[in-house]
Amino acid sequence: MINTSILKLEISKNRSKKSGLPAGSLIHIGHKKVKETNISLIDYGKDSHTEQTIKRISQCFPYKDDRTITWINIDGLHDVRIMEELGTCFGFHPLTLEDVLNTDQRPKLEDFGDYIYIVLKMIELDKNTGEISIEQVSIIFGKNFLVSFQEQPLDIYIPLRNRLRDSKSAIRKEGSDFLAYQLIDLIVDNYFKVLEYIGERIEKIENKLVLNPTQKTLKAIHGLKREMLFIRKSVWPLREVISNMERGHFLLIKKPTGLYIRDIYDHTIQIIDTVEIYRDMLSGMVEIYLSSMSNKLNEIMKVLTIFASIFIPITFIASMFGMNFKYMPELDWRWSYPAVWAVMIGIGVFLILYFKRKKWF
Amino acid sequence: MINTSILKLEISKNRSKKSGLPAGSLIHIGHKKVKETNISLIDYGKDSHTEQTIKRISQCFPYKDDRTITWINIDGLHDVRIMEELGTCFGFHPLTLEDVLNTDQRPKLEDFGDYIYIVLKMIELDKNTGEISIEQVSIIFGKNFLVSFQEQPLDIYIPLRNRLRDSKSAIRKEGSDFLAYQLIDLIVDNYFKVLEYIGERIEKIENKLVLNPTQKTLKAIHGLKREMLFIRKSVWPLREVISNMERGHFLLIKKPTGLYIRDIYDHTIQIIDTVEIYRDMLSGMVEIYLSSMSNKLNEIMKVLTIFASIFIPITFIASMFGMNFKYMPELDWRWSYPAVWAVMIGIGVFLILYFKRKKWF
Amino acid sequence: MINTSILKLEISKNRSKKSGLPAGSLIHIGHKKVKETNISLIDYGKDSHTEQTIKRISQCFPYKDDRTITWINIDGLHDVRIMEELGTCFGFHPLTLEDVLNTDQRPKLEDFGDYIYIVLKMIELDKNTGEISIEQVSIIFGKNFLVSFQEQPLDIYIPLRNRLRDSKSAIRKEGSDFLAYQLIDLIVDNYFKVLEYIGERIEKIENKLVLNPTQKTLKAIHGLKREMLFIRKSVWPLREVISNMERGHFLLIKKPTGLYIRDIYDHTIQIIDTVEIYRDMLSGMVEIYLSSMSNKLNEIMKVLTIFASIFIPITFIASMFGMNFKYMPELDWRWSYPAVWAVMIGIGVFLILYFKRKKWF
Amino acid sequence: MINTSILKLEISKNRSKKSGLPAGSLIHIGHKKVKETNISLIDYGKDSHTEQTIKRISQCFPYKDDRTITWINIDGLHDVRIMEELGTCFGFHPLTLEDVLNTDQRPKLEDFGDYIYIVLKMIELDKNTGEISIEQVSIIFGKNFLVSFQEQPLDIYIPLRNRLRDSKSAIRKEGSDFLAYQLIDLIVDNYFKVLEYIGERIEKIENKLVLNPTQKTLKAIHGLKREMLFIRKSVWPLREVISNMERGHFLLIKKPTGLYIRDIYDHTIQIIDTVEIYRDMLSGMVEIYLSSMSNKLNEIMKVLTIFASIFIPITFIASMFGMNFKYMPELDWRWSYPAVWAVMIGIGVFLILYFKRKKWF
Amino acid sequence: MINTSILKLEISKNRSKKSGLPAGSLIHIGHKKVKETNISLIDYGKDSHTEQTIKRISQCFPYKDDRTITWINIDGLHDVRIMEELGTCFGFHPLTLEDVLNTDQRPKLEDFGDYIYIVLKMIELDKNTGEISIEQVSIIFGKNFLVSFQEQPLDIYIPLRNRLRDSKSAIRKEGSDFLAYQLIDLIVDNYFKVLEYIGERIEKIENKLVLNPTQKTLKAIHGLKREMLFIRKSVWPLREVISNMERGHFLLIKKPTGLYIRDIYDHTIQIIDTVEIYRDMLSGMVEIYLSSMSNKLNEIMKVLTIFASIFIPITFIASMFGMNFKYMPELDWRWSYPAVWAVMIGIGVFLILYFKRKKWF
């Protein structure tokens, strides 16, 4: 089932923390998902590769101005001091830092000349509980650096890190825009995994719908419908961001990288198509559910009507001859009793045939 | 529950007051929410700050032409005379004043060269009753002044006033466009608070929907749906207004302020997204309600059918042997009575098993 | 209730009259709502004002070429001869005259250089019957004249005529484009009155929906829904017309008038918004109606089920002991009868508690 | 009811005939509605008028290059040879001829420089059966000729032919573009007739809906809904075609004709509006139908519940005293019997009052 | 019924294979539908025609640079080595090859200067099972070559191959763009065949809907609805592709071919129209199904109510006189028994007439 806290997470109390404060104030609006902020630094070029975990931003300074690409990855956003240092060091606009700390952003791309700031939403799936949650990823990249921010470490970066270690890997020869492309690609690919999982769940629910639909089935359908709402909400602006990257003539994105970005763009379109198809399918499933409800009611009513319609008339006959009138000549006749039986069976058979012809059973 | 008078307030009798009058006639179309019109004046600059409540417009004149920013805030619109004086003093177009007095406006932005006129709708939430109401805020700002109008004092201005008093505050260094941005930001932020509250109400209703849905629950859902209609009606044109401010090349809005306005623009998009998601969720809730209605009906009918189907046949048997025919040999048999009991219990058990296999209980 | 003839009026037999005739043939397609065509003429300028009812078009000639504004108002369109004279006198295009006579037009604006031709739909409300009907108003205005056509006299013109008599009135100083603006403003304002009335009716129906919804309530809702369809059909093209007037660079519409027209444009947007909100509200009311139907059914079924489920079993017990078997030892026992009573009451109480726990009553 | 073969006609077997053939192959895809292809020729100018039925295309040649307008009308498309001759004579592109023969086209306009090719759909109504069918009309016109094609003779051309015979008629002075306008006008006018007829049918069904809705009524509604789908499918592209003619700067369409075409454009918009309104009305009627179904069910259940709830309890009482226990002291009391009657009547009256208060009858 | 694996096929496990790999890696994502990759080569020109099945890509080299058109058709995509050779030989971009191998593409067109790459979806219908499946077709064409890829041999190419063998065929004189047009035309035509088949199925289901709708009928309707979703998903981007080909000024597509492509464009529009109409029809059928469900329920309830309402009251009367009170004077009256019969028949007749007047049967 969907993490019901998504709703709250999306528009809830977090906002209030900030209201009334001047614009540009650095406050972390989100969840403190890790105890300590972890900063890892990878510096690579055609022929070099350094990887280290650092404690203070100042450790990044030596890598800042060399010609190799520096990728600083920050897990945990609650340490405002680190953000400030980073901002001063790389010359980020206060609004950029404010947006990084506010995990309540809509995916967007902003070009500040020296660097491009991208906000994305990653969808994470907890395979055990089936819950999905949304993690905001901020990417800032300039000529030869890229800084990525999220509230907790992401597994999807692992294969990328391995590839960076491999000196034969194509990525080692490319610039920071290609690294940004790689990160976005990983995040977009992750949507497919979640949709795949949801597709399986839809199929399971569909089977239940055929066998024995209950109120719970309906709620599961509505749970998935709601998940679709949230995925859609994060993937539509994502499409815009990537479309912008493809068409927009940003100096920081080189022409050949554009070709690769067009590829991710196609993927986002496919995600959107799939989400829409799932939504239509789920609506159809609600329809089937409702109709199977009324179908069941019809079945129940048929049973009742058949029983009642057969036994009520013949019970009436029986009670007729249970009357205590003195002058009821039939009572004394020899064949009355069997005759009554015959009449009753006749009525019963007639009604059963009647209902059979009506295709009631 | 929604203030049911919103509907009337929006398009109702107020209008009629004016019909037939020549254009440009100053008449207050709205509610007289305060007894007296209160005018407060704040004049501030990098190094100066004056704050005073004034009685007559003429008291503003000295501040009008100095280089510091003058913010005149007017609570209460029913005093037409004050409006006229103000209009003459600052040179407002008659149509502007007419629109300020008519609280029945759609959010819009109009550039008159010397000043920009902005109409916004603020959504107010009465925490006690849960009612929301809509308050129209008009903002007129020129090179070094800003006049804001509403029918009653707004609490959301308080933190802003405090910030203005603080000489270290960034806002003291900025122009009137930045002050306008601050006011709009406060109003937009307020939407989030209301949506947050509505989000909580949706969750509460959802819980009721699971436990024991009643006709009242449905009405609550429809009440929220209607609130969404009204919020949507005021936020869509708001988005246009802000988008205009961002893109439009207004001389009175400086470049750096544009960056901040882009920020509010993102917020309005998020409000719209949230409203749409809420609407979809509420529609889903109606579906669940209706299906739980028919579910309940099925439950009721099952109970009836089980009772009727079991007892009607065996009652028939009993009434058979209540008949008074003379020649009913079974009546005299020794084991007839226990046999009848056995048959009845047999029928009962059989039917119970039958319904059990049909998963009726 | 809606004038059910609207439907017919809109697309019906009228058309057929004309089919097969060459384009430009003058035929009145509509209703002859008044016996005689009434022509009134008002000629006004800054310092002069003449008002008279005329019988023949030739009486207008003297006013045609003077510099004062001449407003000719024609009520009743069935006198084709008058139209022809008018057309020749003012030099109207045959297609213009044809369109004036055909009350089956979509609101539109056509610029013929010498004059602008505007078709509008006015919505009239019969307060007694609650019926609304649609009246087509055609306005043709040139440099110093304006001709308005409708099938019957309109009350909404009265205040305008009074204002024209007043030499201090602003309108006396303006041109024919301002007069056209005034007429359109009156017609648009009238929409608000009708919507106001419909708003009240919606509220009344809503109350009925809460208290005791009947099939009639549903039909009333659908009647209003249909009225909304017709209002929408006439207000959408109206919006286009006015938007055209505002943006279009028509020589005959002066710049300052444009500002006023922007005002009417805002009003049409508001009308459209209101119509859409009403439509959404009415759809919600249908939903509530349907759900209260199924709610009622549930109530009915509960009553039936409670009665049947309690009495059917105990009636069975009673009929058991009504059997006439010889060997029924219980019949002779002293406490059988009270015991049976006890068992029956026990069953009844148990079932009542059972239904109570199920929250059936 | 709708010609159920429309569906098949639209997308069915016809297509398959052609699949696999090279483009440009002339094959008639449609119905052979007349035995023989009829070709009629009208040649007219300001002062001349010739009308004749011809057997071979070569008979047209003398008229081809004179300055008078030549209108060749062809009823029946199955004679491919005639088409080939015609194509060679007038220099039509092979794709044009292919499209003429394929009655499975979407309305469109194609400008080939020397001539303009227009495909339209005419809706025909069989007044006896109420069936509507769709007839494809192709119009090709060049500088001084026009060729029109359809599968069977159309009555709507008759008044036009008469007008052409009249030497005073305006059309005699105009070019081939005006003749094309006239044909399109006739076809568009025909839509109104069909809509008028459908409007009447909607009204009839609506009356039935009020009096005694049956499953048949619903099917009639859905039949009309489907007709609307087909009319909409042919009128939307028609609108595009006519809009193209109006705005597009085609050399073959003269400026003054453009004014008349704008008129037809308005008509198509009105047709579309009407179709949309009808669709909305029909949807509303389905809603009313469904609600009246559940209303009826409620009525039925009320009857059942009232009967059952009154008689089941009192029958129980009666069967109590039908028990054969020895010790039932009431049986011997003098006033037992009347007392039982009194109790029963009491229960009955109480329940009737109870149901009355619940407004069940 | 629809191939339920479409869903999985579309977005499922296949993707996962690739996630984490660097872009440009050649991996076949799809189904290995044939054992061995079959490559056929047709080289043709105005006067020459060669056809052969080849084993190795190197066999193509001699044909590559001559001036005749070379069509290489590849069935089966799992042999990555062949793809690599081909790519090197013709100079395809790595992303192109990657996309060819990934059968999970959205239809698209990409211009790489030297060649144009088109992805299409073909819909295949298994006439025996009624299942539809989707086959991805990739077409790459340059100045004088065209390569087509699919996972299994397609029958629709057979007539085209025959036509190429015929030296008089028009296609022999045209370039590779015309061959591409022919392939796309075949694929688009195939959509019509599938829609034709679905149209027939809709009709069959409609008949069942009239005679005896069951839950199975509803599921069949939803199956078709879902097929429509998938067809729509592949035909909308197809439309874009073809629209691009028509308008886009690609050097590789000659002007006269553009005319033919406009023809296919019309076809895709028609397919979309038909899909939309089918969707609307299927929705209407769901409505009819649901209403016939509630209709049936009403029928059932009428039967029950008529039986119960007639027999319950008269059974009550019978049980009255089955009571054993001592003092029941009626019991001893001579005409009591026939009187009771008369009363009962009277009640029965009255109720039957009552229900008849209510039109219950």
Side-chain angles (χ1 to χ4, degrees), chain D residues 347-359 361:
Chain D
I347 289 174
V349 168
F350 170 78
L351 286 171
I352 285 168
L353 291 175
Y354 173 75
F355 293 133
K356 210 144 211 169
R357 238 197 46 207
K358 282 206 156 188
K359 301 238 164 106
F361 58 94

Side-chain angles (χ1 to χ4, degrees), chain B residues 198-250:
Chain B
I198 289 174
E200 282 164 23
R201 247 155 65 188
I202 287 178
E203 241 173 296
K204 268 185 210 156
I205 294 175
E206 213 160 25
N207 289 338
K208 268 189 209 157
L209 210 58
V210 175
L211 299 172
N212 191 31
T214 63
Q215 190 84 348
K216 238 177 82 186
T217 324
L218 183 69
K219 263 166 211 155
I221 294 171
H222 275 284
L224 288 174
K225 260 187 151 177
R226 193 171 292 186
E227 289 191 15
M228 287 297 118
L229 284 178
F230 282 96
I231 293 177
R232 196 168 65 143
K233 194 189 159 185
S234 51
V235 85
W236 271 97
L238 182 67
R239 195 189 70 119
E240 273 171 60
V241 166
I242 295 172
S243 153
N244 253 342
M245 286 178 79
E246 191 204 337
R247 288 172 310 147
H249 305 289
F250 299 118

Side-chain angles (χ1 to χ4, degrees), chain A residues 156 158-174 178-179 181-183 185-186 189 260 263-264 267, chain E residues 15-29 93-95 97-99 101-102:
Chain A
I156 56 166
I158 299 173
L160 180 59
R161 274 199 202 107
N162 290 335
R163 225 153 348 111
L164 281 173
R165 280 179 205 123
D166 177 6
S167 65
K168 278 167 293 177
S169 165
I171 193 174
R172 287 275 286 271
K173 290 163 211 138
E174 305 285 344
F178 197 81
L179 181 59
Y181 150 71
Q182 288 282 0
L183 290 175
D185 191 34
L186 290 172
D189 265 11
Y260 289 94
D263 215 55
I264 327 183
H267 294 174
Chain E
R15 279 264 165 202
S16 333
K17 276 200 219 171
K18 214 185 153 175
S19 110
L21 280 178
S25 323
L26 290 195
I27 287 198
H28 175 225
I29 299 183
H93 191 281
L95 275 177
L97 286 176
E98 200 191 330
D99 283 355
L101 291 180
N102 179 350

Side-chain angles (χ1 to χ4, degrees), chain B residues 34 38 73 75-76 124 150-155 157:
Chain B
V34 287
N38 294 307
N73 180 52
D75 298 329
E124 277 184 308
Q150 47 278 330
E151 283 181 326
Q152 56 184 355
L154 297 182
D155 293 344
Y157 290 168

Side-chain angles (χ1 to χ4, degrees), chain C residues 8-22 25-33 77-80 83 97-105 121 136 151, chain D residues 189 192 196 263 267 270:
Chain C
K8 258 177 277 174
L9 185 146
E10 282 295 305
I11 61 126
S12 170
K13 280 109 196 174
N14 308 309
R15 278 265 165 203
S16 334
K17 277 200 219 169
K18 213 185 152 176
S19 110
L21 281 178
S25 323
L26 291 193
I27 287 197
H28 175 225
I29 299 184
H31 293 262
K32 192 187 165 180
K33 291 185 183 162
L77 302 176
H78 52 279
D79 194 342
V80 175
M83 296 300 146
L97 287 177
E98 199 190 331
D99 283 356
V100 166
L101 291 180
N102 179 351
T103 63
D104 203 8
Q105 295 290 319
K121 295 283 179 185
Q136 176 164 314
E151 284 181 325
Chain D
D189 265 10
F192 282 104
E196 210 175 286
D263 214 55
H267 293 175
Q270 238 176 326

Side-chain angles (χ1 to χ4, degrees), chain C residues 190-207:
Chain C
N190 208 51
Y191 276 88
F192 282 105
K193 276 193 209 150
V194 174
L195 286 179
E196 209 175 287
Y197 175 80
I198 290 174
E200 282 163 24
R201 247 154 64 186
I202 287 178
E203 241 173 294
K204 268 184 210 158
I205 293 175
E206 214 160 25
N207 289 338

